[in-house]
């Protein structure tokens, strides 16, 4: 390995890239220095090295910096390798063996929830939540598990055309969705009771990446019929199932190098 003195510089360079990835627009060196608590001279030196390597580009007219092509290529390589699916599959398999329900891994794609991985018990019932299926995020437990940890402005921007629905249950307006997300954030997991398919329910927990934003969500879906029930279901929250899902999410968090 190289000299130990090189490690702090590497960590600072990665911190700069992470900070830039979290911004929607180019950023000045001064803003990065303030955000990361670095000396300006150190920040400029690290940015120069990142520019030379192609991970950052300098915008001289704006006196700002943006992520470069090398950063894009690195992200593309990540997607080609499907590491999220590979890391999640054994975690979901263990969860299915523990609870006997179908388990999914999903990610947000705008206002939709995209299912990436599905693991089934030996006698699973047919569901609409297959791999590759997209559903309105606000009606799924997985979608709301992630939306609950996003800024309010980002949640609002995810639904510019209003809410698509699958059944008579689930949030119908943005204020109603916000109330639901706040309640589920306090609860610690999201619950979907007949919002996707009548007669089925789900519980889900978010999986956080190294940047502390929700990277995905793990859910389990099971047969459940409640009579009578209101517009959101019967109010059951299934804490024992949720505890198993939370353990699976924590395990995947660790595999991804994220936070609990």
């Amino acid at each position: 390995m190289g000299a130990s003195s090189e490690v702090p510089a590497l960590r600072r360079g990665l911190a700069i890239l992470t900070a830039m990835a979290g911004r929607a627009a180019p950023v000045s060196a001064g803003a990065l220095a303030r955000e990361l608590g670095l000396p300006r001279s150190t920040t400029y030196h690290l940015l120069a090295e990142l520019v030379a390597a192609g991970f950052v580009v300098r915008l001289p007219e704006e006196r700002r910096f943006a992520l470069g092509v090398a950063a894009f290529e690195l992200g593309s390589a990540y997607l080609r390798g499907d590491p999220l699916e590979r890391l999640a599959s054994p975690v979901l398999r263990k969860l299915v063996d523990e609870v006997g329900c179908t388990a999914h891994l999903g990610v947000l794609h705008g206002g939709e929830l995209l299912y990436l991985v599905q693991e089934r018990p030996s006698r699973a019932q047919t569901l609409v939540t297959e791999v590759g299926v997209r559903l309105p995020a606000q009606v799924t437990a997985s979608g709301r598990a992630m939306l609950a940890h996003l800024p309010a402005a980002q949640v609002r921007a995810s639904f510019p055309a209003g809410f698509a629905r699958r059944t008579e249950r689930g949030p119908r307006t943005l204020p109603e969705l916000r109330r639901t997300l706040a309640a589920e954030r306090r609860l610690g997991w999201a619950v979907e009771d007949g919002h996707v398919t009548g007669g089925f329910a789900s519980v889900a927990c978010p999986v956080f990446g190294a940047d502390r934003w929700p990277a995905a969500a793990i859910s389990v879906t099971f047969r459940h019929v409640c009579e009578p029930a209101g517009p959101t279901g019967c109010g059951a929250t299934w804490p024992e199932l949720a505890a198993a899902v939370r353990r699976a999410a924590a395990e995947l968090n660790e595999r991804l190098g994220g936070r609990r």
Side-chain angles (χ1 to χ4, degrees), residues 10-100:
L10 174 61
R11 289 175 178 166
R12 289 171 175 175
L14 293 173
I16 287 176
L17 291 176
T18 300
M20 295 179 70
R23 290 175 173 263
V27 60
S28 68
L32 287 171
R34 289 191 298 272
E35 179 178 339
L36 300 174
L38 296 175
R40 277 178 171 263
S41 59
T42 300
T43 304
Y44 275 108
H45 175 73
L46 291 170
L47 284 169
E49 291 295 327
L50 291 169
V51 168
F55 285 94
V56 170
V57 293
R58 182 173 177 267
L59 308 175
E61 292 81 6
E62 302 179 35
R63 296 184 179 180
R64 281 172 166 75
F65 296 84
L67 291 177
V69 174
F72 171 78
E73 292 174 343
L74 198 61
S76 299
Y78 176 92
L79 293 174
R80 289 195 301 271
D82 297 329
L84 183 57
E85 292 93 323
R86 292 172 181 267
L87 291 171
S89 290
V91 176
L92 294 188
R93 185 69 256 166
K94 186 166 65 173
L95 177 61
V96 170
D97 293 341
E98 179 182 355
V99 302

Side-chain angles (χ1 to χ4, degrees), residues 108-126:
L108 282 176
H109 192 271
E112 295 181 316
L113 189 283
L114 170 64
Y115 291 96
L116 296 181
V117 182
Q118 177 180 258
E119 292 288 343
R120 293 171 172 260
S122 56
R123 294 183 179 181
Q125 295 178 324
T126 302

